[in-house]
Structures are given as C-alpha cells and as structure tokens.
Amino acid sequence: MTATDRSIELINAAAQAAADKLAHDIIAYDVSDVLSITDAFLLASAPNDRQVKSIVDEIEERLNKDLGAKPVRREGDREARWVLLDYVDVVVHVQHSEERVFYALERLWKDCPQLELPADAQATRGKAEEYAQAQGPDGGAGGELS
C-alpha cells in the first residue's frame, strides 16, 4: 500500500506552506505500509517558538483555503515546541529545532520511503545546521567567544 493521491496533495501543500514560512529540514515519509492510522508524516522545524507557531498557522490556513482540509486534532499549541496537526490521511509535525534533534523522528521512520516534495521544501534541508553554526556556541549571532 502507498500513500493516496490526496495524501500526497496534502503533504505537498503543507511542505510548500512550511517552506514559505522558512521552516528548516522539511521531509516527508510514506508510512502507509507500517501504520494503518495514516498515510504520511511531514516533519519540519524552526529555531524558535514563534516561528513554529507561524509555520503551523500557515500550513493550517493553506490546507483549509486551497484544499478544504481541516485538522481533526491540533496538539502542542500552548508551548509551541512540538505542534502536531492531524489530518487523518497525513500528520504534520512542526518542532522546535531542539526537540527535532532530541526526538529524532527521522530515525524512527528511516526505513519508510521519503516522498518527493516541492523544490522550495527540498531546499530547506540542512538549514537547521546552518542556522546553529551561524548562532555560534553562545547562541548569539556570529561565532565563538574569545
């Protein structure tokens, strides 16, 4: 079994919306062969809580406006460290970069096929690492402490 056309349409729209709001490391997996409850997962991250919220809001608005899809469940809004949008056919995870590293969902789903995403979403791969390096070890902009 593979992800349905509708699932792929939702994933692509969500990935593009996330990319438009500057999400990092957007990736999608076809989990239909290992889970019976959903077809696909989309993972995206951002370096701060405000951006996580912005990405989630954009995904929800875009999927509703363009595809008439509303999530049946939205979790994690209060802390905005890991927000989950459940569209039944697809589940979108938008995580703070620290949670993304800690929970490493990619390791859990690495045996599942990756879904092809729009070019803008693919271009976000490696952005979290670039951002972290630009911030330096002190968390500020620019390099190491002397």
Side-chain angles (χ1 to χ4, degrees), residues 22-101:
L22 307 178
H24 296 166
D25 299 315
I26 302 169
I27 192 165
Y29 294 99
D30 181 339
V31 296
S32 61
D33 283 341
V34 294
L35 292 177
S36 60
I37 57 172
T38 193
D39 282 349
F41 281 162
L42 180 75
L43 308 176
S45 55
N48 61 62
D49 302 351
R50 182 181 296 169
Q51 192 173 356
V52 167
K53 283 185 176 188
S54 177
I55 293 164
V56 168
D57 289 345
E58 182 67 18
I59 291 169
E60 192 170 3
E61 182 179 323
R62 185 95 49 99
L63 268 58
N64 185 26
K65 183 177 135 197
D66 295 351
L67 303 173
K70 292 182 180 181
V72 295
R73 188 173 67 203
R74 181 175 172 157
E75 295 182 8
D77 264 345
R78 189 173 304 161
E79 297 84 23
R81 301 288 292 180
W82 181 350
V83 180
L84 180 143
L85 295 173
D86 183 351
Y87 288 90
V88 180
D89 294 332
V90 303
V91 176
V92 177
H93 300 268
V94 182
Q95 298 175 298
H96 188 287
S97 298
E98 293 170 359
E99 267 66 16
R100 179 88 178 255
V101 170

